[in-house]
């Protein structure tokens, strides 16, 4: 199975979790997904009152410089670890 196939499978697996991961885990999953699919964050920082948006934006920005393939591998590994707790 190719890296892209494993990544797509992991992305589907996240949607089947029966329990809600912690906010920090969700931010990490989000940031790795965005880095793997879009690349480095070059979007404008969300407004002052958008706390959730700013947290997501910062988590993604923290992945800057990570290659898409490395982000995919980290995403797959994280989802597999989370699946043990949340499936």
């Amino acid at each position: 199975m190719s890296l892209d196939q494993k990544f797509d499978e992991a992305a589907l697996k996240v949607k089947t979790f029966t329990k809600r991961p912690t906010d920090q885990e969700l931010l990490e999953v989000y940031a790795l997904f965005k880095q793997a699919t879009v690349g480095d964050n070059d979007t404008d920082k969300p407004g002052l009152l958008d706390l959730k948006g700013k947290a997501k934006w910062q988590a993604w920005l923290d992945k800057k410089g990570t290659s898409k393939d490395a982000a995919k591998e980290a995403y797959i590994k994280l989802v597999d670890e989370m699946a043990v707790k949340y499936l």
Side-chain angles (χ1 to χ4, degrees):
M1 188 181 296
S2 75
L3 180 61
D4 287 336
Q5 289 171 320
K6 289 179 185 176
F7 178 77
D8 291 341
E9 191 176 275
L12 292 174
K13 188 185 291 185
V14 166
K15 296 176 183 179
T16 66
F17 288 174
T18 56
K19 297 177 192 147
R20 188 179 188 280
T22 66
D23 289 344
Q24 194 57 43
E25 288 170 325
L26 289 172
L27 280 174
E28 186 69 12
V29 165
Y30 170 81
L32 287 169
F33 183 85
K34 291 295 278 188
Q35 188 68 25
T37 57
V38 179
D40 288 343
N41 181 355
D42 63 358
T43 62
D44 293 335
K45 187 173 185 176
L48 186 62
L49 300 177
D50 184 2
L51 299 178
K52 183 178 178 181
K54 283 196 323 189
K56 291 168 72 174
W57 182 87
Q58 186 62 52
W60 181 16
L61 187 67
D62 291 344
K63 302 296 178 204
K64 189 172 188 165
T66 304
S67 72
K68 287 185 177 186
D69 284 348
K72 286 178 183 179
E73 289 170 3
Y75 180 86
I76 293 163
K77 183 175 186 253
L78 178 61
V79 169
D80 286 344
E81 290 169 1
M82 291 171 62
V84 173
K85 294 193 282 187
Y86 301 115
L87 274 181

